[in-house]
Amino acid sequence: METLAAVAQATGDAQLSELRFRSNIAIEGIAAWGEDQWIGHRLRIGAVEFEVTRTKVRCLATHANPASGVCDVQVMQTLTRAFKQQQPTFAVALLPREDGGEVRVGDAVTLL
């Protein structure tokens, strides 16, 4: 969520929604872009262990407001220019290490 806040500030849209990025899990309490340091590590959320495999390269769909469908924010350009990225990345990909298990709102997140 702190990375979202940084992107919202860079775009000038304080209401920038996490829905725009279609993330399955949103985590609070780490510094903006801190999740990028997790690549190649394991992470536990509640009882489920994940491999953190890569950053997520974003596409033009992120420019569209999830409520209206109108392209209203140039997210990709903001990511590459404001944050000096070679590719427009936001968030990380998690792969579960086992089948099954539940992740619940409020579960602890632990870097292993």
Side-chain angles (χ1 to χ4, degrees):
M1 295 305 296
E2 285 75 8
T3 302
L4 177 64
V7 175
Q9 183 176 13
T11 63
D13 182 356
Q15 302 302 315
L16 194 71
S17 170
E18 66 191 69
L19 297 175
R20 188 177 292 262
F21 298 96
R22 300 169 313 282
S23 298
N24 294 318
I25 298 172
I27 297 171
E28 296 177 322
I30 62 167
W33 306 105
E35 64 273 18
D36 291 356
Q37 304 308 310
W38 298 348
I39 306 298
H41 294 277
R42 291 178 294 128
L43 182 74
R44 180 176 300 283
I45 304 175
V48 181
E49 190 174 313
F50 296 91
E51 290 284 340
V52 185
T53 61
R54 61 183 172 80
T55 55
K56 303 276 290 192
V57 177
R58 297 308 176 153
C59 67
L60 285 173
T62 60
H63 289 212
N65 183 307
S68 68
V70 173
C71 290
D72 59 356
V73 178
Q74 292 188 342
V75 171
M76 293 173 63
Q77 291 86 339
T78 300
L79 291 171
T80 56
R81 292 180 187 149
F83 301 103
K84 298 179 178 32
Q85 297 180 353
Q86 289 186 349
Q87 294 184 306
T89 64
F90 179 91
V92 293
L94 303 177
L95 292 177
R97 292 182 45 94
E98 299 177 3
D99 289 338
E102 292 183 7
V103 173
R104 294 185 176 107
V105 173
D107 276 350
V109 177
T110 307
L111 189 60
L112 304 173

